Amino acid sequence: MSRMATIFALLLASSLSSYGADSPVRVQLDSTKAIPRSVESLTEQVILRDYRFAWTSIAQALEFNTLDPLEGAFTGESKQALSQSVTSQQRTGLSQRYVDQNHKVQAVFYAPEGDVIELHDTAEYQLQILDSGKLIHEEHVVVHYIVLMTPAADRWMVRHLQAVPQF
Amino acid sequence: MKFTLPIILVAVTAGLMTLALFGAGHSSGTVGIAAGSAVFSTKASTPEQGLNNLLADVQRRNWDRAYSALSTTSAGDRQSFIQDWTGSDGSLRSFSSLEGFQARPLHATNDDAQMRVRLHWTTPVGPIEDVRDFHLIREGGTWKVAWPKMQISSVPAQIIPVTYLRWDLVSGSGSDEWGSKNVDAPHVRIISMNAVDSAEGAVVMGEVVNEDTIPAFVNVNAALVDGAGKAIDDESSFDKIDHVLLPKQVTPYRIDFPNINLKNVKNVRMDVKATLVPASADPVIGVMNQKVVSDVQGKSILQGDLMNESGQTVNIPHVIASFYDNNGKVIWVSDGYVNRALLPQSGQPFAVEIPKSLAGKVQSFHVVVNQYSLVRS
Amino acid sequence: MHAPASAIAGEEVTISTNGSGKATFYLLGPGVSRKSDVSLGSEVQLKAQDLQNAGEYFAFLCSDTCRSSSFYVTAAKPASLTFLVHPSRVPVGQGDAVSGVALPFDQFRNLVLTPETVNFHLLEGTASVFSRSSQTRDGIAWFRTASQKSAGTLQVDASLGDLSARRAVQQVASDPCNLRIKGERTKAGILVQTEPVRDCAGNPVPDGTIVSFTATDGNGRSTVDAPIKQGVARAQLEAPGATVISVASGVAMGNELRIGAQP
């Protein structure tokens, strides 16, 4: 019986890890070093929630090549670039999976009036590249992102997402 | 046998229809309450029938017959009689129609009678009830309404100098780039909030101030939350607020939650939204002679006179009043539309009701006037 | 396969390949996905329009097996300056009340992360009231300063080389101070008006600000909410009896005026 349970658990884990969009997105946010304004506790919670949602949306958009997940979480340049990625992947038949995302995020700048925040995200995930559904490449990557988020009516939105070699 | 039931039904229906058509009009000698839409009787042998005939003609806008059937002692001319019922100058009355009425006698003798009528109007801002007394006189065996001389506002031709002040909103013609349109929304603040149970449900009310130096379009929303943190209902202040607030202006607001009892509410989430809006500082409307009194029906009302101090007609004045207890807490917010237009440099009376249960607690009040002008819109 | 370690946004890049035979080349990066057949041993040209977005790009070459390489594209030179200034209206004489954040972007809207010097300059009319040079850190330069003593428009400029951005902040008077009224009986009632309404620093309170006049006599209470026009607020009140008139604007209260009954 216990062997059956182990096999079931392994199968379940394996099926989960094979779908990036369903894979959990872990985000840790440290905003203690933000200048010149300190990040309010409630703002920190909302940014954490919305940044996690943004990465869930990226994973869905780039795995299923659909623009819908990009509504609501992105604005400005980041929305434009991600939309271009999706339409471009639709043409080539390529797709990407972001599996087991782990983001260590540090807030480095929070504007005096609270209208923009800059984050440094050290992201680790298993990147899978697929051509017409066939896996052609898989690797564990560590990417450094510089992120700009701006407040909207009821949420924070990712305005800029730019990968850099290091901070 | 199988035809018995249909025959009975047809007979009863015909009987009821006959009674409805003729029965009410011929109930002579009845001193009761007449109600509903008016039905014309050829000869008014009772005060009720005389009043009924007048209101039937008013409903049908049969002005010739209505005016000719007035008592010879009537004072007003035909034009002012019609204008009294139809309104003028784009007032609320000119967009309203008489839907029904309820009349009851105040006193009656053989030759004259006094009737009090609740007139039910349908208007663009919802149903409005108007209470009016009519004097009826028996002339040659027929009861007729003695129409009083009405005070119709008239304004002499004149030039009124106005230092015009308005704010226009320029959205900017430059690029739509991030940060290029840095005009902040106006700063407004809820300065008081009170939630109470009323006969119709829960009511959330209070006051909002525009703390900014520019006009603001303001709306207040409230969400009632239960013990589990779940929203029970959310509503907005709708027309129970002066939406356009000039700098430093204060408006009452009231949000009604019909059929909700506060005992089920754990928390109230308030949200005030303010946006930039083009606005004018005119017209200025004074609120004169404000007094809490009892009306003819014994209800507590706040009454006064609106005075248009500008040169612009206010077609539909809307009065919103907040009432405070001896601690300065807002305990009620009432509003009311004025039927007549507010002509330049002239006045109109107003009255708003105070709930009976709160009348004794009212220590002071604050009145604001919201205005709808056809010229502006 | 050999790709450069880094590239500049909007510039062409060449990737060399080894071996012989046919292969499929893939390029995946921010805003781009490309797939093409290539001959091994030849060079793969990446066009400028494929490399406009800064970030990490992955190149794959697949024949029997796939080989990969990655490289970074960095922003080109600054081509525009995003300038966030707040607030758009500010009461005079408030410390740290005006702030600005400048972010340089290249022509493809990539954030320029190399340190750049941004000059902030604040002017009241033609008089300079604040000037500071600040170097961008992670693509951001900022300043914060007090609002000035007098009401009026504050011009806020940011410049980086020959790029510049301009914003305006309205410095407005604070709450009214020493609100004073005078009044007299006229045929129509009582005409009451304020003296010029100013804040405690002497700045005229903006026109349009509401001043509330209240007249109380034996007949009841009359109120008029009148806007300030050309510095003063005036109202006509109806009060035939002996009357006490008070005035307020926001939180500021003014003097009381007592006027005798109508003769």
Side-chain angles (χ1 to χ4, degrees):
Chain A
M1 185 67 191
S2 73
R3 217 170 72 175
M4 285 287 284
T6 311
I7 291 166
F8 178 74
L10 282 171
L11 280 171
L12 183 68
S14 143
S15 72
L16 282 178
S17 68
S18 65
Y19 293 97
D22 294 335
S23 166
V25 176
R26 285 176 294 274
V27 181
Q28 288 173 278
L29 173 62
D30 172 16
S31 57
T32 54
K33 294 187 176 67
I35 56 158
R37 175 174 170 157
S38 56
V39 183
E40 305 83 2
S41 164
L42 196 63
T43 306
E44 186 179 20
Q45 288 170 35
V46 174
I47 287 172
L48 184 67
R49 178 198 71 187
D50 294 343
Y51 190 60
R52 184 188 294 125
F53 176 64
W55 271 100
T56 307
S57 304
I58 290 175
Q60 285 176 345
L62 296 180
E63 179 173 352
F64 302 113
N65 286 340
T66 171
L67 293 169
D68 295 345
L70 302 179
E71 294 299 326
F74 300 93
T75 185
E77 296 87 31
S78 71
K79 189 173 181 182
Q80 198 183 340
L82 286 164
S83 301
Q84 281 173 0
S85 287
V86 170
T87 50
S88 180
Q89 286 191 173
Q90 284 169 345
R91 278 199 302 273
T92 57
L94 294 176
S95 58
Q96 304 177 58
R97 280 187 193 150
Y98 293 78
V99 181
D100 282 340
Q101 293 184 49
N102 207 340
H103 299 262
K104 288 199 173 108
V105 184
Q106 191 161 49
V108 293
F109 177 83
Y110 185 37
E113 288 289 326
D115 50 353
V116 61
I117 190 164
E118 184 175 65
L119 310 174
H120 284 184
D121 176 12
T122 303
E124 282 187 62
Y125 45 82
Q126 196 70 15
L127 178 66
Q128 298 177 344
I129 313 289
L130 298 97
D131 183 359
S132 303
K134 187 183 155 203
L135 186 69
I136 58 167
H137 178 77
E138 179 170 11
E139 75 174 288
H140 180 79
V141 293
V142 178
V143 188
H144 302 287
Y145 288 100
I146 288 202
V147 185
L148 296 178
M149 292 183 81
T150 52
D154 58 349
R155 71 191 74 175
W156 282 75
M157 299 177 90
V158 175
R159 180 172 282 275
H160 204 85
L161 188 67
Q162 190 169 319
V164 292
Q166 72 268 326
F167 296 126
Chain B
M1 181 63 193
K2 69 177 181 181
F3 295 110
T4 312
L5 189 62
I7 288 167
I8 291 170
L9 283 174
V10 168
V12 169
T13 307
L16 286 171
M17 286 170 71
T18 311
L19 195 66
L21 278 172
F22 303 106
H26 288 270
S27 58
S28 57
T30 312
V31 184
I33 294 174
S37 290
V39 176
F40 193 85
S41 316
T42 46
K43 192 177 180 209
S45 54
T46 65
E48 286 81 9
Q49 283 172 11
L51 184 62
N52 217 46
N53 284 349
L54 176 76
L55 296 176
D57 284 332
V58 167
Q59 278 188 313
R60 292 168 191 161
R61 304 202 164 220
N62 191 348
W63 304 120
D64 289 338
R65 192 167 70 180
Y67 186 69
S68 62
L70 291 178
S71 160
T72 51
T73 61
S74 296
D77 62 15
R78 184 178 180 280
Q79 191 54 39
S80 64
F81 169 75
I82 296 171
Q83 197 172 319
D84 193 35
W85 289 106
T86 59
S88 60
D89 303 303
S91 66
L92 184 61
R93 179 55 51 84
S94 61
F95 297 105
S96 311
S97 59
L98 182 61
E99 191 188 26
F101 64 90
Q102 285 173 299
R104 70 182 176 89
L106 293 176
H107 80 262
T109 66
N110 280 342
D111 295 319
D112 80 359
Q114 196 80 12
M115 302 282 289
R116 177 159 294 163
V117 184
R118 284 171 187 262
L119 299 162
H120 303 291
W121 297 88
T122 52
T123 80
V125 295
I128 283 183
E129 190 183 283
D130 197 7
V131 177
R132 196 161 180 169
D133 289 350
F134 289 88
H135 183 210
L136 291 107
I137 296 170
R138 197 163 68 133
E139 290 177 356
T142 303
W143 285 89
K144 294 181 172 182
V145 172
W147 195 253
K149 187 173 175 60
M150 302 305 296
Q151 289 292 332
I152 302 290
S153 290
S154 65
V155 180
Q158 61 192 303
I159 303 290
I160 298 168
V162 175
T163 308
Y164 204 59
L165 175 64
R166 61 170 286 122
W167 294 259
D168 287 331
L169 182 58
V170 181
S171 56
S173 55
S175 67
D176 206 19
E177 193 197 311
W178 177 32
S180 65
K181 294 179 178 173
N182 68 323
V183 181
D184 299 334
H187 296 281
V188 299
R189 188 165 60 91
I190 293 175
I191 50 175
S192 64
M193 190 280 268
N194 187 14
V196 298
D197 275 321
S198 75
E200 285 77 33
V203 174
V204 173
M205 66 198 136
E207 290 179 311
V208 177
V209 63
N210 177 4
E211 295 186 314
D212 216 313
T213 54
I214 53 166
F217 185 89
V218 183
N219 210 0
V220 180
N221 302 297
L224 303 183
V225 179
D226 66 11
K230 198 176 139 200
I232 301 169
D233 191 9
D234 62 284
E235 299 284 349
S236 84
S237 47
F238 193 53
D239 70 338
K240 304 267 186 295
I241 189 170
D242 185 357
H243 286 289
V244 178
L245 283 188
L246 298 184
K248 306 284 183 285
Q249 195 171 13
V250 175
T251 176
Y253 66 86
R254 192 177 103 195
I255 305 169
D256 295 330
F257 294 88
N259 307 318
I260 290 180
N261 195 307
L262 280 181
K263 73 169 189 259
N264 303 319
V265 176
K266 177 79 176 171
N267 199 1
V268 182
R269 279 196 211 121
M270 301 297 296
D271 173 33
V272 58
K273 289 213 164 20
T275 49
L276 292 163
V277 66
S280 166
D282 288 292
V284 173
I285 300 172
V287 189
M288 308 302 170
N289 310 318
Q290 304 163 42
K291 263 193 293 195
V292 175
V293 295
S294 289
D295 70 0
V296 289
Q297 300 177 89
K299 291 177 180 169
S300 279
I301 56 165
L302 170 66
Q303 69 172 32
D305 299 295
L306 303 183
M307 176 56 66
N308 183 352
E309 300 195 349
S310 73
Q312 183 184 337
T313 297
V314 175
N315 302 98
I316 305 177
H318 178 210
V319 176
I320 312 169
S322 45
F323 299 93
Y324 312 90
D325 66 7
N326 54 4
N327 294 318
K329 183 174 166 186
V330 178
I331 53 171
W332 192 248
V333 171
S334 279
D335 76 317
Y337 287 88
V338 178
N339 281 317
R340 311 284 170 192
L342 201 50
L343 300 181
Q345 305 287 311
S346 59
Q348 281 293 342
F350 76 91
V352 291
E353 200 177 325
I354 308 168
K356 208 172 185 176
S357 58
L358 294 171
K361 295 179 188 163
V362 170
Q363 288 295 311
S364 64
F365 41 82
H366 173 230
V367 180
V368 298
V369 187
N370 205 356
Q371 74 258 346
Y372 301 96
S373 298
L374 295 178
V375 174
R376 265 196 323 178
S377 58
Chain C
M1 180 171 61
H2 179 74
S6 67
I8 304 290
E11 290 184 3
E12 288 186 356
V13 162
T14 303
I15 294 177
S16 57
T17 63
N18 299 322
S20 60
K22 296 284 181 190
T24 306
F25 174 79
Y26 298 95
L27 178 73
L28 267 175
V32 67
S33 160
R34 195 182 134 184
K35 177 184 174 184
S36 57
D37 293 331
V38 294
S39 298
L40 292 173
S42 64
E43 289 184 332
V44 180
Q45 293 288 335
L46 301 183
K47 293 178 196 159
Q49 63 259 37
D50 285 338
L51 303 172
Q52 289 185 346
N53 293 320
E56 189 174 20
Y57 285 70
F58 292 91
F60 306 103
L61 200 56
C62 297
S63 50
D64 295 336
T65 57
C66 289
R67 282 159 290 168
S68 71
S69 180
S70 70
F71 59 97
Y72 282 91
V73 169
T74 56
K77 64 176 185 172
S80 66
L81 201 56
T82 288
F83 192 26
L84 312 175
V85 173
H86 281 292
S88 58
R89 298 174 301 283
V90 63
V92 293
Q94 301 229 326
D96 282 346
V98 180
S99 68
V101 176
L103 303 97
F105 286 89
D106 71 6
Q107 60 171 315
F108 308 109
R109 297 297 296 168
N110 297 306
L111 185 62
V112 177
L113 296 168
T114 50
E116 303 280 349
T117 302
V118 178
N119 295 305
F120 296 110
H121 202 183
L122 275 63
L123 293 134
E124 257 188 338
T126 53
S128 173
V129 292
F130 175 88
S131 192
R132 177 178 293 168
S133 290
S134 183
Q135 220 171 43
T136 59
R137 189 172 166 187
D138 297 319
I140 292 177
W142 65 281
F143 77 91
R144 187 161 55 185
T145 187
S147 59
Q148 304 304 301
K149 292 277 181 283
S150 53
T153 303
L154 185 66
Q155 184 183 308
V156 186
D157 293 337
S159 60
L160 190 167
D162 54 358
L163 301 174
S164 67
R166 175 171 293 176
R167 304 285 180 257
V169 172
Q170 295 296 328
Q171 298 182 119
V172 295
S174 295
D175 285 327
C177 197
N178 296 323
L179 198 55
R180 295 199 64 79
I181 51 170
K182 55 189 177 184
E184 58 178 356
R185 279 206 179 276
T186 63
K187 272 190 270 183
I190 300 169
L191 181 66
V192 59
Q193 73 170 51
T194 63
E195 289 177 2
V197 184
R198 296 177 184 280
D199 69 3
C200 294
N203 292 295
V205 170
D207 274 5
T209 303
I210 290 292
V211 174
S212 298
F213 298 95
T214 303
T216 310
D217 70 352
N219 200 34
R221 194 166 78 178
S222 297
T223 56
V224 177
D225 285 352
I228 296 172
K229 288 182 177 181
Q230 295 179 338
V232 299
R234 56 174 65 84
Q236 188 82 38
L237 291 154
E238 280 182 5
T243 306
V244 178
I245 300 173
S246 61
V247 63
S249 181
V251 292
M253 301 289 291
N255 63 313
E256 269 189 0
L257 200 65
R258 288 170 193 279
I259 291 186
Q262 207 168 19

